[in-house]
Amino acid sequence: MSETLTRVAFITGASRGIGKAIALRLAKDGRHVVLSSRSEGPLSELAEQIRAAGGKASVAVADVASSASITKALDDTFASLGRLDVLVNNAGITKDGLALRMSDEDWNAVINTNLTSAFVACRAGARMMMKGRFGRIVNIASTSGIVGNAGQANYAAAKAGLIGLTKTLARELGGKGVTANVVAPGYIQTDMTENLPPEIKDKIKSLLAVGRLGVVEDIAAAVAYVSSDEASFLTGQTLIVDGGMTMA
Ligand code: NDP
């Protein structure tokens, strides 16, 4: 990489939680981060914070549940910055319930937001990466997609689907300098998990080999490596970052 080249990293779900930590970390590592989610306010605040610390950041408001919206955000990014090097598909939702009682609506919402969105973003983003003959796709899955989780049929199916999508992209794009990998977090303390009942949190903690709950920076560190220039021989992999919970 030439000294003047700044890698552009587009991160979905960057308004809070894991996505925000990924954005802060990639910005600290010298990337121009493009912060995306549906909420302009938190994204603008984060962009300001990054710029104040000497980093580079832009905002791209988009709803990943809409194919047109996320595609436009990526197109606009490429038009204004002239490149796309890293795509982190992190936006996600849960709509938990036992499979036998799960509505079509809850199934479709989670599959659409957590899986179809990543396919659409990868389809648009990979074309841009191929132009630069360099790319790092990172899809954020979950240990639920690897070992399953009672009450999360929709979520686990979407996250397992991300793994199949990623392996396929790795095979299709590897010869073009574009890698595709999954980072699969275990239990991480964020808005998504804070409403879990205390007994479930205690049970999870008792399963962790490292003896502590995960924090967002644990996932950001994994994404920083997987999306780095030096990770060029790593593709089609799922990096499980779960404090030794599953050891799957
Ligand atoms: P949060 O609920 O804290 O944040 C979710 C992010 O996704 C927000 O930035 C939200 O932005 C964005 N988002 C949700 N829906 C949409 C949408 N339709 N369009 C655009 N953005 C959207 O989640 P976490 O940080 O905990 O999770 C991040 C990722 O990590 C998810 O994919 C999740 O499945 C995965 N994960 C999390 C684990 C955990 O323990 N926390 C464990 C395993 C995986 P906004 O509302 O502003 O649009």
Side-chain angles (χ1 to χ4, degrees):
M1 191 167 80
S2 81
E3 276 179 34
T4 52
L5 176 61
T6 300
R7 297 274 184 220
V8 172
F10 189 102
I11 302 147
T12 70
S15 58
R16 59 179 187 271
I18 291 171
K20 181 177 178 180
I22 292 169
L24 286 166
R25 173 63 195 258
L26 297 190
K28 195 171 154 228
D29 289 354
R31 283 86 185 284
H32 181 129
V33 289
V34 183
L35 313 170
S36 191
S37 89
R38 294 163 299 184
S39 323
E40 187 160 13
L43 296 178
S44 297
E45 268 177 41
L46 180 58
E48 274 308 309
Q49 184 186 336
I50 289 168
R51 288 187 207 113
K56 296 192 177 80
S58 325
V59 168
V61 175
D63 180 351
V64 298
S66 153
S67 174
S69 177
I70 187 64
T71 302
K72 181 175 186 311
L74 283 158
D75 284 346
D76 289 350
T77 296
F78 193 73
S80 67
L81 298 175
R83 57 186 307 115
L84 178 74
D85 302 292
V86 176
L87 170 63
V88 184
N89 288 305
N90 163 79
I93 57 167
T94 52
K95 287 191 182 288
D96 295 353
L98 292 174
L100 299 191
R101 291 193 208 131
M102 188 172 285
S103 66
D104 289 1
E105 194 184 15
D106 285 355
W107 171 269
N108 288 330
V110 171
I111 295 292
N112 192 32
T113 300
N114 295 11
L115 175 60
T116 307
S117 64
F119 161 68
V120 170
C122 287
R123 185 178 58 191
R127 290 192 183 115
M128 299 165 193
M129 292 173 177
M130 282 163 61
K131 286 186 181 149
R133 293 200 66 82
F134 177 92
R136 299 281 181 264
I137 292 169
V138 186
N139 291 323
I140 306 298
S142 165
T143 49
S144 293
I146 295 164
V147 296
N149 196 17
Q152 292 198 310
N154 48 5
Y155 184 82
K159 296 302 191 181
L162 278 178
I163 295 172
L165 167 68
T166 306
K167 288 181 177 176
T168 300
L169 291 171
R171 292 189 189 281
E172 291 185 3
L173 303 172
K176 315 272 189 318
V178 179
T179 66
N181 291 286
V182 166
V183 170
Y187 176 90
I188 306 295
Q189 293 170 282
T190 68
D191 291 354
M192 186 177 270
T193 48
E194 78 169 5
N195 292 328
L196 287 174
E199 61 274 19
I200 302 280
K201 284 189 187 172
D202 288 344
K203 190 176 169 208
I204 292 167
K205 200 171 172 183
S206 74
L207 296 172
L208 298 176
V210 299
R212 68 167 176 86
L213 296 172
V215 293
V216 291
E217 290 79 12
D218 292 321
I219 306 307
V223 173
Y225 173 64
V226 166
S227 66
S228 67
D229 282 36
E230 65 186 333
S232 59
F233 204 56
L234 180 79
T235 196
Q237 297 303 308
T238 297
L239 182 55
I240 301 173
V241 186
D242 69 350
M245 183 172 69
T246 58
M247 301 198 200

